[in-house]
Amino acid sequence: MKKGLVLEGGAMRGMYTAGVIDVLMENNIEFDGIIGVSAGAAFGCNYKSKQPGRAIRYNKNYCNDKRYVSLRNLITTGDLYGVDFCYRQLPDELDIFDTETFKSSPMEFYATCTDALTGEPVYHKCETGGKEDIQWFRASASMPLASNIVRIGDYHLSDGGTADSIPLKYFQSIGYEKNIVVLTQPEGYVKKKNSLIPLMKIMLRKYPALVEACATRHIRYNETLEYIKKQVAENNILVIQPKEKLLVNHVEHDKDKLEITYQTGRCDALEKLCEINDFLNS
C-alpha cells in the first residue's frame, strides 16, 4: 500500500507546512510519494532532498530583502517574488538545494500547476531537482496577478491552487491509498469567491480559461473539503491542520510571525506523532 503526503499551498501559510514536514523528517517518517501545490511544492521539495529547517531559514533570512519579495519586483518584472533571486540565487548559491539527494531519493515528488490555456490541473513528476524541476516549483507557486505565466515546453502554467488546491483525489487515482493531508486552514474554513475576478478579466484576458478557473475555484475547494471529511470518517486519510486561523499574511515581512507559524506546524505534528505512526503502519 503506497503512502502519500499531500501538501496544500497558501503562500506564507506554507510556513505551517514547513514546520509539519520538518518534524516528520526528524522522526524518520517515510512516504512513497509527495504531491505539493504552490507553497506546498516550493517548500515540500525539501522533504525529498532531506533538508529540514531550510524553508524557515531562508524565508526568515530574506523576507525583508527586496530581491526576494517586493512591490518593486511586481511593478518592474510582473513577479512579486524575484524570479532570479528565488529560483537561481537561493537554491544555487545562498541556501543550496541538495539536488543530488533529491535525485537519488526513491520518493516520488509531484508539483501541481494550472494550465493557463485550459484551466485544467497539470501534475508533474519532478525527478532530478534540477533547473527544469525548479521551474515547475516556480510555476506551481505563480499566483495569478502576482506572477507571470510560466512557460515550460508547450505549457503556459500558473498557480496549481487555482485548478486543484488539495490534490488528494489525483494521488489516490495513481495508487496512493494511505495519505496524510496537510492543510493550512483550520477546520470549518469555507473559501469565498475571489473578489479580484473583474481585474483578472482585464489583466489575464489572454487566458480566459484561467480566469474562469479562478472564478470557480472556491466551489472546487469547498467540494474537496467535503470529500476530505468523508475520507477522514472512513479512516482512509489523516489530516494535519491548524486549530485556528494562522496570523501570517500571504506576503509576510515579520520574522516573528513566520517563526510562530512554523512552530505552530511543529507543535501540531508533534502532538499527532503517535497517531501518524499508527495510521501509516496500520
Side-chain angles (χ1 to χ4, degrees):
M1 183 176 289
K2 291 171 73 175
K3 301 171 185 177
L5 182 62
V6 181
L7 305 176
E8 183 184 12
M12 284 301 114
R13 293 200 311 273
M15 287 296 94
Y16 176 87
T17 302
V20 171
I21 65 174
D22 281 359
V23 167
L24 299 182
M25 280 190 275
E26 290 161 6
N27 285 275
N28 300 311
I29 294 176
E30 307 229 345
F31 296 90
D32 298 296
I34 298 175
I35 187 163
V37 181
S38 195
F43 303 152
C45 61
N46 294 298
Y47 208 122
K48 184 171 166 64
S49 67
K50 298 181 180 179
Q51 292 179 278
R54 181 172 178 268
I56 182 62
R57 182 174 61 241
Y58 74 71
N59 274 281
K60 286 179 66 176
N61 284 343
Y62 298 107
C63 64
N64 290 300
D65 191 319
K66 288 181 170 53
R67 297 172 299 169
Y68 183 49
V69 55
S70 65
L71 185 59
R72 183 185 67 182
N73 286 341
L74 182 61
I75 293 170
T76 59
T77 70
D79 285 289
L80 183 64
Y81 285 84
V83 172
D84 183 67
F85 186 80
C86 293
Y87 300 103
R88 185 189 65 80
Q89 292 185 57
L90 256 177
D92 291 352
E93 300 168 7
L94 300 175
D95 202 319
I96 295 173
F97 182 63
D98 190 344
T99 56
E100 288 304 314
T101 299
F102 186 98
K103 185 177 180 179
S104 63
S105 169
M107 182 191 301
E108 295 183 332
F109 188 87
Y110 290 81
T112 305
C113 300
T114 298
D115 187 325
L117 297 176
T118 67
E120 296 297 318
V122 178
Y123 310 100
H124 178 76
K125 185 178 178 181
C126 302
E127 300 187 273
T128 69
K131 294 185 185 304
E132 183 171 319
D133 281 349
I134 287 175
Q135 288 306 300
W136 281 96
F137 305 157
R138 172 195 167 198
S140 183
S142 291
M143 299 176 288
L145 297 182
S147 310
N148 288 304
I149 299 297
V150 179
R151 297 286 300 273
I152 303 177
D154 293 331
Y155 282 114
H156 296 231
L157 299 168
S158 184
D159 191 321
T162 301
D164 193 354
S165 297
I166 312 165
L168 171 61
K169 286 185 179 180
Y170 173 75
F171 231 29
Q172 290 175 327
S173 76
I174 61 171
Y176 284 87
E177 298 173 279
K178 188 177 283 286
N179 295 287
I180 290 179
V181 180
V182 181
L183 304 179
T184 58
Q185 296 284 10
E187 187 174 359
Y189 172 78
V190 176
K191 183 173 281 296
K192 297 178 181 178
K193 186 173 182 178
N194 193 324
S195 62
L196 296 176
I197 297 302
L199 179 59
M200 288 184 180
K201 288 180 178 179
I202 298 170
M203 301 299 292
L204 298 171
R205 57 189 175 276
K206 293 182 179 179
Y207 299 100
L210 177 61
V211 175
E212 178 61 22
C214 289
T216 56
R217 178 185 180 185
H218 65 293
I219 299 172
R220 288 188 300 281
Y221 186 93
N222 293 329
E223 288 175 345
T224 299
L225 290 183
E226 288 302 314
Y227 177 74
I228 286 172
K229 287 181 184 178
K230 292 177 182 178
Q231 290 293 293
V232 169
E234 294 171 8
N235 200 36
N236 292 329
I237 68 171
L238 188 150
V239 171
I240 303 172
Q241 64 187 134
K243 298 177 182 67
E244 300 176 347
K245 182 180 179 181
L246 299 171
L247 299 178
V248 72
N249 292 321
H250 265 66
V251 178
E252 187 58 71
H253 300 289
D254 188 325
K255 295 181 181 182
D256 291 338
K257 287 184 179 180
L258 291 173
E259 181 68 27
I260 290 169
T261 305
Y262 172 75
Q263 291 298 336
T264 301
R266 289 189 62 90
C267 287
D268 287 352
L270 285 167
E271 186 178 294
K272 284 202 167 192
L273 201 54
C274 289
E275 188 179 354
I276 290 166
N277 278 305
D278 289 345
F279 173 76
L280 291 175
N281 296 317
S282 62

